[in-house]
Amino acid sequence: MKFNEDSRVKIPTILHLIRLGYQYLSLKDQVWDESTNIFTDIFKENLLRLNHELNEAEADKFYAELALTLENEDLGKAFYEKLIDQSGIRLIDFENFENNTFHVVTELTYKKDEDEFRPDIVLFINGLPLVFIEVKKPNNLDGIQAEHKRLQMRFQNKKFRHFINLTQFMVFSNNMEYDDNALQPLQGAFYSTTSYYKPIFNYFREEETFDLESLLNTVEDDLENFVLKDNNLLSIKNSPEFLTNKNPKSPTNSICTSLFQKDRLAFILQFGFAYVKDNKGLQKHIMRYPQLFATKAIEQKLEEGVKNGIIWHTQGSGKTALTYYNVKYLTSYFQSKKVVPKFYFIVDRIDLLIQAGKEFRSRGLVVHNINSREEFAKDIKTTSVIHNSSGKPEITVVNIQKFQDDPDVVQNTDYNLNIQRVYFLDEVHRSYNPKGSFLANLKESDKNAIKIGLTGTPLLGTDYNTRSLFGSYIHKYYYNSSIADGYTLRLIREEIETNYQLKLKEALESIDILKGNADKTQVYAHHRFVEPMLDYIVQDFERARISFNDNSIGGMVVCDSSDQAKKMYEIFQTKYAIANDSFNVAAEPEESYGNQKIEESKVKSAAVILHDIGTKEERKDQVEEFKDGKIDLLFVYNMLLTGFDAPRLKKLYVGRVIKAHNLLQTLTRVNRTYKDFRYGYVVDFADIQKEFEKTNRDYFNELQEELGDEMVHYSNLFKSAEEIKEEIKEIKEVLFHYDTSNAEIFQQQISQISDRKEMLKITRVLNNAKSLYNLIRLSGNYELLEQLDFHKLTILSREANNHLALINTKEALEQNVDTTNLLNVALEDVLFAFVKIKEEEMVLADELKNTLQKTREMLGGNFDQKDPHFVSLKEELERLFKKKNLSEVTKEEMEANIKALQEIYDKAKELERKNALLRAKYDNDEKYARLHKRLMEKDPLTDSESKLFEALQGLKKEIDNQIMQNAKVLENESFAEKMMIRILIDQFKNKNHIALDAATSKRVNHMIVKEYMNEFYGRVA
């Protein structure tokens, strides 16, 4: 049986999509525009059906205009706007989504000039290829990351712009469950939208329960046979692995159910995308799954008549983005009820008003700011919904800092029943004191208003908490989930070193002598205390930059008092900033790179952010400069502990105890994802551990309430029957707990193993089983072959070795993080000497690498590696490698190697072209393409290729029909041989008059049987 990603993942996924309501199309019968891959006949038929006012000429003109939008450098924004438009010409009927056509195809080539790629599965709506799916077999080398790297290269290739602009999102799966402890997403099923740079892989964890019996259709046997035959995989039909992989709950099928059932797909296409414009350009975002389920949960609450509640989504999980998606969705929701919504985003600080406004504008919303009592009162009383004349979607951002406790902010008795006010209140764990007047005023302003509180850290305690103020939780997304999904980082707490603690103790004793029993705040702000503390911070931070090999990271010091912050900044400016400025001005001889690197890691700039230092505008500018990497350290007291988002902030120095939710808010300043960082680092001067544990206990209670040896090489070639029996017994013992009769279930079982030693035991006995099979045959003890299914163990061995390789990859990644950090520090003290290489040669080296890569890929993709031409090219490449190390050559030798490689590549490409032509003659069945070549190479049966083709084509049709009627025929090789030789003689000798004697018939039949048995058992041809 063929046992690869096609038979294990792709075909079962196609069948599952058919069950979800997609129609399978064979590419043999379709017409499409190769520049866009739009199926033009299907597209135009649906365009005319959905838009009765169009005639044929107008439909052709519209298609030309649509194709033109795909030329834009806009990530498909113009196309997307046409895609979801329901007021003009409709591409999709979103009001009645079933009124569209849904198709699935496989191996559709995306091609421009010589560059091409072929997604495994493409989904079409009304002839538009909007989604593609890439699948890999479980435990593939490098996991899903291999596909991520390939995709990144494709997306950066401008030749694929049409396809990227047209595609809405993608799924990538190696049909394994997620490993939440992996440093990188190596296994699982992920989804992503398009990007011109590097797509972001998102986890999807379904929160709803589906009735699969009613959701999924039945696939008739004839249709399944058609799909299998179209993909030349009839032989897998009755295999236990194939039956296992058709399970609708497999990881790949599960994510397809989650994303591609029609109601969910309509929701994502219409409301699940955001085009975000920032200083890096235009990006396209897709809803994260917690945002999707929070939006659906809000809708559910509204349907139940509930008009207030809380979204508890941890810091860094995208609450501003969630609000944007809800503006999109709730606008449509209320308009369907003939109600016009008006949206507000309530914050309690001017900096948050600025930040929120920036986020909303970047997503295309028109933002109206309110920063005074009078403006708010006036806005509440107006009956107009938007302030802009363009009619674009709008949100009003309100800063309540100055008027939250004013008793007369709002008095409104004029209600417009066709207007629905929706308030999103940011960070509802603070500033909404029920004893104050803002909440009461908000309630009185419009008793019909919807109030949704957003928080990452709810208020805890018995006095009053978030739920008592805003109602029950609508949706929750916790820290651990966010970390597992890769949206936030774990935190590491670092205690200060003993020698530093001793220095501080000495400083305190000196101050006690100087000031007697001084106030602790004064003591901690004294220069005798602050200077050694600052010295430690600067040295530690510079070491961190060297350790991480990253000078772009920033640090923040949370001071004990504003006085301490001021003193720390004062000393910094005198001791570090000024010293470094004078260093840069002085004339210095040319430095070594190592010294330059140390110099670049130095802390040279800092800012103090306090409410009584500088103006608001100056503080705002300093914060932006820190975010942009222009300031190294920030000294703060109370400001920036909440609502401050700077991904480069990776070291937090905590100099005072912070309590309850404020502590978690502060700590999560360093938990944003940034480059390849795994952790955010908290340096603890104030022993926050006790307060952290107390806060964690409070959180736990809140949650409880809510949630109710390397492989052995044998030296003896021949073993006695007794030794073999003992080893067979060991194999059975080690594999006793695993299902060895079904390779798919076995793979699922071993995928749960993360312990390398356990996996080594399994791979050792399975690899031994392969050796024993040959030893038994050599020894002649054939009765021992009946004690184990050695054919099946060969497949299991491959799966086990793949999973062991994946474990090794993960361990290497984990070890690399730590050892690289140590190495970065150690290398600063090592002297290296290198010869300078010209820039030209660097470019050539890059060209050499690229030429080598494409040559190896071209040869590696050849399906007939016994072809004499292929063997010759492979040997030529090997000779080039053995001649000299390709990277240690002169410019002239490098050029010669590039030329030699290019010649091999050109020949390999021509061979692949001829192979593709021949394979296409046999409906892309590689077995018959190989047979055709072998029968024409040496002592050909006929001089006519067309005659041989007629005979082999008839042979293929008859044998495939026999297998379709009884797929188990291949389980009995002897029976298959007799069946095939009968058909061979009939097709070759009787029908096509190709002379066959007994020896030739046996030789050719052996080749045919071998091809089918190789496919059946998953062996490489």
Side-chain angles (χ1 to χ4, degrees), residues 661-680:
H661 62 274
N662 287 328
L663 175 60
L664 289 177
Q665 280 273 312
T666 303
L667 297 181
T668 54
R669 294 313 97 209
V670 289
N671 79 343
R672 304 305 196 264
T673 54
Y674 184 66
K675 298 185 179 179
D676 295 326
F677 277 81
R678 291 174 58 196
Y679 303 104

Side-chain angles (χ1 to χ4, degrees), residues 531-569:
E531 186 173 358
M533 182 177 181
L534 178 63
D535 290 342
Y536 177 86
I537 290 169
V538 169
Q539 290 164 17
D540 176 76
F541 188 68
E542 289 174 353
R543 279 199 304 269
R545 282 182 161 180
I546 292 171
S547 173
F548 299 135
N549 195 25
D550 192 338
N551 293 329
S552 72
I553 62 170
M556 185 161 81
V557 184
V558 182
C559 296
D560 178 71
S561 65
S562 60
D563 287 342
Q564 187 190 62
K566 291 171 187 174
K567 182 59 69 176
M568 196 166 285
Y569 179 69

Side-chain angles (χ1 to χ4, degrees), residues 829-928:
D829 297 322
V830 179
L831 183 65
F832 288 94
F834 291 91
V835 178
K836 186 177 179 181
I837 298 175
K838 292 179 185 176
E839 186 175 341
E840 183 188 11
E841 291 191 11
M842 293 286 287
V843 174
L844 283 169
D846 197 46
E847 186 182 341
L848 176 70
K849 183 193 72 173
N850 292 339
T851 310
L852 177 60
Q853 182 182 356
K854 70 179 184 180
T855 305
R856 291 175 66 178
E857 285 177 356
M858 183 60 71
L859 287 171
N862 192 298
F863 69 82
D864 185 15
Q865 301 196 358
K866 291 180 180 174
D867 184 330
H869 295 293
F870 174 85
V871 173
S872 172
L873 288 172
K874 186 182 175 188
E875 287 173 352
E876 207 172 323
L877 186 64
E878 287 171 352
R879 277 197 301 274
L880 192 61
F881 266 98
K882 288 174 183 175
K883 185 177 68 174
K884 193 162 188 179
N885 187 330
L886 289 181
S887 62
E888 294 180 357
V889 291
T890 65
K891 177 174 176 285
E892 290 72 24
E893 287 173 315
M894 203 179 287
E895 287 173 337
N897 282 334
I898 290 171
K899 186 179 177 183
L901 279 171
Q902 188 64 44
E903 287 174 1
I904 296 172
Y905 171 75
D906 291 340
K907 290 176 186 175
K909 187 177 179 184
E910 177 62 14
L911 181 60
E912 177 59 27
R913 186 187 70 80
K914 291 177 178 177
N915 281 344
L917 287 174
L918 184 60
R919 184 172 56 198
K921 295 286 288 183
Y922 289 101
D923 291 334
N924 292 311
D925 193 332
E926 294 171 0
K927 300 191 299 295
Y928 281 86

Side-chain angles (χ1 to χ4, degrees), residues 60-77:
D60 288 338
K61 182 183 177 186
F62 179 78
Y63 176 76
E65 292 171 354
L66 187 72
L68 199 60
T69 66
L70 299 176
E71 302 272 0
N72 298 347
E73 283 285 316
D74 66 347
L75 262 176
K77 187 172 186 287

Side-chain angles (χ1 to χ4, degrees), residues 954-990:
L955 182 78
K956 170 177 164 57
K957 184 178 179 182
E958 286 297 316
I959 292 177
D960 284 354
N961 282 338
Q962 290 289 330
I963 294 171
M964 192 185 296
Q965 292 167 22
N966 179 17
K968 293 189 175 181
V969 68
L970 295 176
E971 294 178 9
N972 186 331
E973 190 170 340
S974 175
F975 182 82
E977 279 181 2
K978 291 173 185 173
M979 177 266 288
M980 288 181 192
I981 200 164
R982 176 178 54 78
I983 297 172
L984 169 68
I985 291 168
D986 183 52
Q987 287 294 329
F988 275 61
K989 194 172 183 179
N990 301 337

